[in-house]
Amino acid sequence: MQRALPVFLLAFASPALAQTQEVSPAGTLPLTLVNAATQSEARTVASDVTLTEQVVTGVLASPWSVAVLPDSAGYVVTERGGTLRHVTRDGTVGPEIAGVPNVRALRQGGLLDIALAPDFAESRVIYLSYAAPDGLAGSATALARAVLSDDHTALDEVTELWRQTPASAIPAHFGSRIIAFEDGRVLVTTGDRFTPENRQLAQDPINATYGVTIMIGADGAPEAPAVEGALPGVLSYGHRNIQGAALHPETGAIWMLEHGPAGGDELNIITPGANYGWPEVSYGVNYNGTDVGTGEQIHAPAFVEPIYFWDPSIAPSDMVFYQGDMFADWEGSILLGALAGQSLVRLELEGDNVIGEERLREGEGRVRDVAVDEDGAILVLIDDDPGALIRLTPEGAD
């Protein structure tokens, strides 16, 4: 394991090791070796902005995802227990929306992400991800398509598009973020289903869809895999638990946030067919302090390197590239939620590099989802029971 090398020994290390940068975060690793200077511990930045908070509603039950409806129609929120609700802009929470698929709401499983089709204003199509019951005790990440009624009370034409294989009795690490593309394709993320036995399957996309990203074609069927011999739809593999996903507004690249073990949360850019290393390599360690896989930290060239990682863990949830007029200085920044970190995190970018990090609303609840409202305000979803949908604006904004 390279992490314990004393500083004076680095001068005598191999050329590849000597060329790496060194950081010493107050995290799980005594000495963390990184592949690039921009890969961790970006400079701390502070915005000249004071946030005003409006609690849209504080009566949600373990909310997981929020989608902003067009034309000031409010929001649709998933609750992990299996309910989908319409919330008006003034905070009125509607009854359960009928027609939601059955879910296994146990531990981390249940009703998870929601995404609107790009043409939602005309089609009313939404996508849901969830832990689908499978057998007596099993569950599997699943993706469904449905049509939301004009009055926000029911789902029609509910169709399951994809289901993870095999099912697992372990109710953890479902991944489950969705990206809906302009061309009709849909991407959904998965997790490794947590146990040492299950997580090995993240390196076996030929026989399992654990720790992978899945691409569904515009026809509703999984696309041909980008990994040779893999199961249909597999775009990338070697992931632990992807809970954040967004398209870069300029490049169209797929960016994702992935939970590490103890340390090693990752921000990745997805390359079709690529292997991201889990559980062979990690910038974190197992919860009991032992090495992950080979004990290596530097992933290249065998595996794709993360753009950025956190040690200690912040447990990142969803992310969005900010685009709006309300926070003009944040244009192009990544806004992401932190569960263990209990904060809204802003990352300043220069190209594909993180050059600054800001923590906002620290210690004020587990941020499960982040979205941008129609007018550019920021929405954060607090994962609790009761949980809350909160709207953030700059102090003094109209």
Side-chain angles (χ1 to χ4, degrees):
M1 177 68 175
Q2 296 172 336
R3 61 185 168 93
L5 280 176
V7 173
F8 72 86
L9 287 181
L10 291 175
F12 302 96
S14 67
L17 182 61
Q19 291 171 5
T20 62
Q21 303 291 322
E22 304 160 40
V23 293
S24 299
T28 59
L29 305 177
L31 179 65
T32 302
L33 302 173
V34 300
N35 193 56
T38 58
Q39 209 174 7
S40 188
E41 291 201 310
R43 67 185 176 90
T44 300
V45 295
S47 299
D48 185 20
V49 61
T50 300
L51 295 175
T52 297
E53 300 196 5
Q54 173 199 355
V55 178
V56 179
T57 177
V59 298
L60 300 169
S62 301
W64 214 90
S65 180
V66 57
V68 179
L69 296 170
D71 302 322
S72 299
Y75 319 99
V76 182
V77 178
T78 63
E79 294 175 314
R80 193 179 52 78
T83 54
L84 184 66
R85 296 189 187 276
H86 176 237
V87 180
T88 63
R89 296 188 68 84
D90 67 4
T92 301
V93 179
E96 294 183 23
I97 295 174
V100 174
N102 291 330
V103 306
R104 178 149 280 155
L106 183 64
R107 299 281 297 278
Q108 296 176 7
L111 183 60
L112 303 173
D113 204 15
I114 181 172
L116 306 185
D119 66 350
F120 173 84
E122 295 77 35
S123 70
R124 307 290 295 179
V125 168
I126 68 167
Y127 298 95
L128 295 171
S129 65
Y130 49 98
D134 200 307
L136 291 177
S139 59
T141 301
L143 174 71
R145 177 190 184 277
V147 176
L148 178 63
S149 63
D150 290 339
D151 63 0
H152 312 109
T153 63
L155 297 183
D156 298 311
E157 302 176 38
V158 180
T159 304
E160 185 174 289
L161 301 178
W162 178 83
R163 184 179 291 208
Q164 182 183 53
T165 185
S168 173
I170 305 301
H173 288 198
F174 292 91
S176 224
R177 286 298 173 185
I178 302 168
I179 296 176
F181 294 79
E182 292 285 347
D183 63 6
R185 294 178 301 151
V186 188
L187 181 143
V188 65
T189 74
T190 74
D192 68 354
R193 305 308 299 271
F194 188 71
T195 66
E197 296 77 18
N198 281 346
R199 72 187 190 185
Q200 295 302 321
L201 294 174
Q203 287 293 317
D204 185 13
I206 295 173
N207 293 300
T209 48
Y210 287 11
V212 300
T213 60
I214 294 290
M215 187 68 79
I216 305 299
D219 63 355
E223 291 191 343
V227 179
E228 185 176 358
L231 290 167
V234 172
L235 183 69
S236 64
Y237 67 111
H239 302 285
R240 185 171 183 270
N241 191 21
I242 302 170
Q243 292 211 1
L247 292 179
H248 193 286
E250 295 179 0
T251 68
I254 302 167
W255 289 54
M256 290 190 172
L257 288 166
E258 180 174 339
H259 284 211
D265 298 332
E266 296 183 0
L267 173 65
N268 285 303
I269 298 177
I270 299 302
T271 299
N275 184 350
Y276 287 77
W278 181 258
E280 296 301 315
V281 294
S282 176
Y283 283 100
V285 296
N286 292 312
Y287 294 134
N288 63 5
T290 60
D291 291 340
V292 170
T294 63
E296 296 177 7
Q297 292 176 255
I298 299 169
H299 303 176
F303 306 107
V304 174
E305 280 285 309
I307 297 300
Y308 194 70
F309 70 86
W310 287 267
D311 180 36
S313 291
I314 62 169
S317 55
D318 203 11
M319 61 179 283
V320 64
F321 289 92
Y322 183 79
Q323 293 180 287
D325 297 330
M326 196 168 285
F327 295 88
D329 291 343
W330 292 3
E331 186 76 13
S333 290
I334 290 175
L335 300 177
L336 64 101
L339 296 164
Q342 293 197 31
S343 59
L344 173 68
V345 180
R346 184 176 72 89
L347 300 179
E348 288 186 359
L349 301 177
E350 188 174 86
D352 290 343
N353 294 322
V354 177
I355 60 171
E357 180 171 347
E358 180 174 18
R359 305 284 177 95
L360 303 157
R361 300 188 73 260
E362 289 189 273
E364 297 186 42
R366 289 161 48 88
V367 180
R368 175 63 74 178
D369 199 6
V370 181
V372 178
D373 210 343
E374 287 185 293
D375 60 358
I378 296 164
L379 300 169
V380 293
L381 201 60
I382 304 301
D383 183 0
D384 206 342
D385 191 5
L389 175 61
I390 297 174
R391 203 175 115 94
L392 306 175
T393 56
E395 187 177 60
D398 294 333

